[in-house]
Amino acid sequence: MDKIRMPNAIAELDGDEMTHVLWGMIKKELIEPFVELNTEYYDLSLPNRDRTEDAVTRQAADAIKRLKVGVKCATITPNFQRQEEYGLRQLWKSPNATVRAALDGTVFRAPILLSRVKPVVTCWEKPVTIARHAYGDLYKAVEYRVPGAAKAELVVTDENGAELSRQTVYDFKGPGVVQAMHNRDDSILSFARCCFTYALSVKQDVWFGVKDTISKGYDQTFKLLFQQVYDEEYKTAFEAAGLHYRYGLIDDIAAKVIRSRGGMVWACKNYDGDVMSDLIAAASGSLPMMTSVLVSPDGCFEYEAAHGTVTDHFYRWRRGEKVSTNPLATMFAWAGALRKRGELDGIPALGHFADCLERAGLDVFEEGHFSEDLAMLCDPADYTDSPDNDTLIALIRARLGQLLNA
Ligand code: NAP
Ligand code: MG
């Protein structure tokens, strides 16, 4: 069989620990035998980020912007313990945060569903995709631990220093805490555009909820800007595609999602998205079974698994033990990037390969060979074994060969 040609490259961002090991296996065993893989390679492993003073991360982000498509392996976000473990010069920023900021992107997360692992929420027939606004709010908040009686004020001055607003936050009689958050119209508008663009591309409704009844300035701004973007830029296309935009209060939307059949893009403010993406993952099956794609408003796509580097498996593997790590989300990331490359370049064979790659992984699991994280979650009657990584990838490769030859 001829290998599928791939004239234009995708940006490949390699990473750390167990996912780095899987990364190499997936490329060597599942992709390169069938595709003339064309990537611009960036080594985002922690030692190389340290060596290059994180320049490699910025170069990789530029490459995604230039090539329009990237695929990323999980990477370590260093803390003090990692600094000691790797002898780092400093605590480098999370690569995901760097790439997200460079692309001004929104992260979409959707669970991978298996018929043999029933979602906790039994009415879900299709995955619920979470779109998390990745800028501002709690994550860029200014905080102060108030030591005792004190007055906290919120003061806003214009660029010349003239006071625009001064409000008392609270007159403290004793110790307490205070916090100030912000967001920007341009970021909220980009977020809305990413959500509507992505939803059109996957033909799903958009649901959005904030607490505008309580937060009459802050959350209200999110509600109004979303509505404005929808009405002015997307309504016609949504109606033509038979899709809907649904706004509600966040608590009402949360309850309605739980009682739905799934299959929508649920747009969430930053903190809501942080919480809901883990909740949806756990409710759908298992945390490792979550895909993630970062979409920029100008149409760049970066695919990755939502999980981390699976450190404990890596330490066990390094000691020579056999481990059974779930490769599906990383395989789906590669499939997403190859499919998008094929779509942008008009190469249907790449899209077909991506479909087969995903199918091969799912089929092996559906046949009862589960990685160990799923062994406890499936019906024992459906369970055959938990093969180690080499065996699991070999099973998937055999199945992939069958699917491609069919
Ligand atoms: P994690 O790597 O996702 O692992 C958490 C636990 O989830 C594991 O201990 C394992 O549970 C299970 N798990 C996750 N992925 C799995 C897979 N593919 N197969 C089987 N089990 C899987 O998260 P973490 O332990 O919090 O973080 C580890 C490192 O990853 C950290 O250095 C963190 O900075 C980094 N991280 C990176 C990203 C990213 O690059 N996007 C995201 C999150 C975390 P059991 O122990 O029960 O087997
Ligand atoms: Mg979280």
Side-chain angles (χ1 to χ4, degrees):
M1 200 172 70
D2 284 344
K3 288 195 193 182
I4 300 164
R5 299 215 25 241
M6 192 178 158
N8 294 318
I10 57 180
E12 175 186 352
L13 285 61
D14 204 345
D16 293 296
E17 300 194 315
M18 204 62 222
T19 40
H20 164 72
V21 177
L22 274 178
W23 191 260
M25 293 169 73
I26 290 169
K27 272 176 68 177
K28 180 160 169 279
E29 301 295 329
L30 302 180
I31 302 176
E32 286 170 347
F34 310 104
V35 178
E36 269 179 23
L37 187 63
N38 182 359
T39 70
E40 255 184 44
Y41 181 86
Y42 295 88
D43 175 9
L44 265 62
S45 67
L46 189 51
N48 197 44
R49 277 180 275 148
D50 196 50
R51 205 173 302 126
T52 61
E53 305 204 308
D54 213 21
V56 66
T57 308
R58 295 186 293 275
Q59 287 159 3
D62 285 342
I64 298 172
K65 282 205 241 180
R66 183 162 35 80
L67 302 170
K68 296 279 178 202
V69 186
V71 59
K72 180 180 171 293
C73 178
T75 46
I76 295 169
T77 300
N79 52 18
F80 288 113
Q81 182 216 328
R82 297 295 201 164
Q83 184 167 29
E84 215 176 279
E85 181 181 353
Y86 284 86
L88 302 178
R89 296 192 245 187
Q90 52 167 285
L91 288 183
W92 304 107
K93 261 176 57 179
S94 148
N96 290 55
T98 303
V99 174
R100 218 153 49 203
L103 267 69
D104 183 24
T106 296
V107 175
F108 296 83
R109 289 193 163 183
I112 300 167
L113 299 184
L114 284 170
S115 73
R116 301 202 170 207
V117 179
K118 295 271 173 273
V120 178
V121 181
T122 47
C123 54
W124 286 345
E125 292 162 11
K126 292 181 187 161
V128 175
T129 299
I130 295 284
R132 174 179 171 190
H133 184 207
Y135 178 82
D137 299 357
L138 189 60
Y139 305 83
K140 289 253 189 262
V142 178
E143 304 187 329
Y144 183 65
R145 173 87 175 100
V146 180
K151 177 177 180 169
E153 292 180 297
L154 183 67
V155 181
V156 184
T157 52
D158 72 11
E159 53 198 347
N160 303 314
E163 196 170 298
L164 296 175
S165 161
R166 176 181 293 265
Q167 299 174 68
T168 300
V169 176
Y170 195 67
D171 263 318
F172 287 92
K173 305 286 179 260
V177 281
V178 64
Q179 178 188 68
M181 306 198 298
H182 81 279
N183 224 301
R184 303 193 324 241
D185 280 16
D186 62 343
S187 176
I188 300 167
L189 290 166
S190 287
F191 174 50
R193 291 190 181 106
C194 290
C195 290
F196 292 123
T197 302
Y198 180 80
L200 274 176
S201 82
V202 294
K203 300 194 176 48
Q204 294 184 348
D205 293 345
V206 172
W207 292 20
F208 183 48
V210 296
K211 198 73 183 179
D212 63 285
T213 45
I214 301 296
S215 173
K216 294 188 169 65
Y218 202 102
D219 278 22
Q220 174 81 352
T221 300
F222 278 80
K223 176 185 173 182
L224 293 177
L225 292 181
F226 253 74
Q227 194 64 48
Q228 177 193 322
V229 168
Y230 178 71
D231 290 341
E232 291 174 6
E233 301 172 32
Y234 291 91
K235 193 170 182 205
T236 316
F238 262 58
E239 284 175 359
L243 299 175
H244 301 277
Y245 169 53
R246 173 178 208 163
Y247 173 79
L249 287 170
I250 177 68
D251 37 354
D252 183 39
I253 289 286
K256 288 207 164 74
V257 166
I258 296 296
R259 291 164 53 181
S260 75
R261 293 182 171 168
M264 77 289 286
V265 175
W266 180 7
C268 289
K269 286 177 62 195
N270 209 346
Y271 176 79
D272 297 339
D274 190 346
V275 178
M276 293 309 169
S277 52
D278 283 8
L279 185 112
I280 295 288
S284 301
S286 106
L287 271 173
M289 294 280 279
M290 195 76 160
T291 63
S292 179
V293 50
L294 175 73
V295 180
S296 74
D298 58 346
C300 298
F301 293 77
E302 183 210 38
Y303 296 83
E304 65 168 339
H307 61 72
T309 58
V310 213
T311 309
D312 52 336
H313 286 218
F314 179 63
Y315 291 159
R316 281 161 52 203
W317 175 83
R318 210 170 43 180
R319 286 197 300 268
E321 289 173 34
K322 293 212 177 276
V323 291
S324 171
T325 316
N326 190 326
L328 290 181
T330 304
M331 287 169 53
F332 273 58
W334 274 101
L338 293 173
R339 183 183 292 113
K340 181 55 75 179
R341 183 80 280 163
E343 202 180 295
L344 294 177
D345 298 349
I347 307 175
L350 271 181
H352 176 67
F353 175 78
D355 293 345
C356 292
L357 181 60
E358 290 178 355
R359 189 70 260 158
L362 294 174
D363 282 356
V364 167
F365 279 61
E366 297 285 7
E367 281 158 13
H369 310 291
F370 295 100
S371 52
E372 66 185 26
D373 57 303
L374 292 179
M376 299 83 97
L377 295 172
C378 63
D379 188 330
D382 293 333
Y383 178 79
T384 308
D385 57 2
S386 291
D388 65 55
N389 289 344
D390 291 324
T391 313
L392 194 57
I393 295 287
L395 285 168
I396 296 172
R397 175 169 175 169
R399 179 70 190 138
L400 178 59
Q402 289 168 357
L403 288 170
L404 288 168
N405 280 323

